[in-house]
């Protein structure tokens, strides 16, 4: 295996796996980074709860008139187009054909598995219960990992 030594920009360090990790030292102005203030944490969590909760409510409303998998596919297509436009606007390089194929495979699994099953279940479950079940998934993964 060939070792490559690269110049690392200030504020980043090269980890043993080759990924860049940010150093928690000082900000560009030279002042020590301060922890977030209480109001910032409350605002961030409030935004998360409102956006996340309204997502499941929107799913339940949308599937009243649109078939669930069609709604999920259109939703993912619109979100993907917005993120792609944002990335290109920020100067990200164009994806290769292999990267497009990989993203297509992952998207198909998400559409038919993860998010697809959520929108399918939304036909019978209230949005609050749906959000609670999806939110409990990480906890379930931790608990099953302990078995």
């Amino acid at each position: 295996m060939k070792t490559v030594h690269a110049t690392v920009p200030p504020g980043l360090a090269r980890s043993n796996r080759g990924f860049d990790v940010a150093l928690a030292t000082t900000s560009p102005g030279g002042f020590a980074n301060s922890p977030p203030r209480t109001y910032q944490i409350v605002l961030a969590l409030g935004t998360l709860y409102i956006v996340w909760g309204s997502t499941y409510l929107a799913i339940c409303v949308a599937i009243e008139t649109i078939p669930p998998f069609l709604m999920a596919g259109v939703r993912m297509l619109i979100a993907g187009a917005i993120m792609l436009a944002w990335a290109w606007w920020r100067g990200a390089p164009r994806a290769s054909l292999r990267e497009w194929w990989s993203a297509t495979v992952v998207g198909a699994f998400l559409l038919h598995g993860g998010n697809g099953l959520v929108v399918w279940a939304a036909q019978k479950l209230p949005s609050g219960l749906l959000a609670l079940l999806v939110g409990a998934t990480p906890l379930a993964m931790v608990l099953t990992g302990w078995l």
Side-chain angles (χ1 to χ4, degrees):
M1 181 174 188
K2 184 178 178 183
T3 303
V4 177
H5 298 284
T7 305
V8 180
L12 293 178
R14 184 76 59 189
S15 72
N16 60 353
R17 295 186 183 185
F19 299 107
D20 291 333
V21 292
L23 297 176
T25 54
T26 59
S27 63
F31 298 103
N33 290 333
S34 61
R37 295 190 171 110
T38 303
Y39 80 90
Q40 291 172 321
I41 295 171
V42 169
L43 185 64
L45 287 174
T47 302
L48 175 71
Y49 296 153
I50 290 170
V51 170
W52 189 24
S54 64
T55 296
Y56 293 100
L57 178 60
I59 288 171
C60 288
V61 170
I63 62 172
E64 290 178 4
T65 56
I66 305 170
F69 288 104
L70 176 63
M71 186 276 307
V74 169
R75 181 175 167 238
M76 286 185 167
L77 191 63
I78 292 170
I82 291 169
M83 290 190 302
L84 183 63
W86 176 261
W88 284 351
W89 182 74
R90 302 261 322 205
R94 303 283 195 245
S96 68
L97 188 57
R98 183 174 181 177
E99 291 168 329
W100 277 108
W101 174 250
S102 296
T104 302
V105 170
V106 170
F109 278 114
L110 285 173
L111 178 59
H112 294 97
N115 194 30
L117 292 175
V118 169
V119 296
W120 181 73
Q123 297 175 97
K124 304 287 182 194
L125 298 175
S127 64
L129 179 60
L130 200 57
L132 185 63
L133 290 172
V134 172
T137 302
L139 178 62
M141 294 297 115
V142 169
L143 294 176
T144 56
W146 285 347
L147 296 177

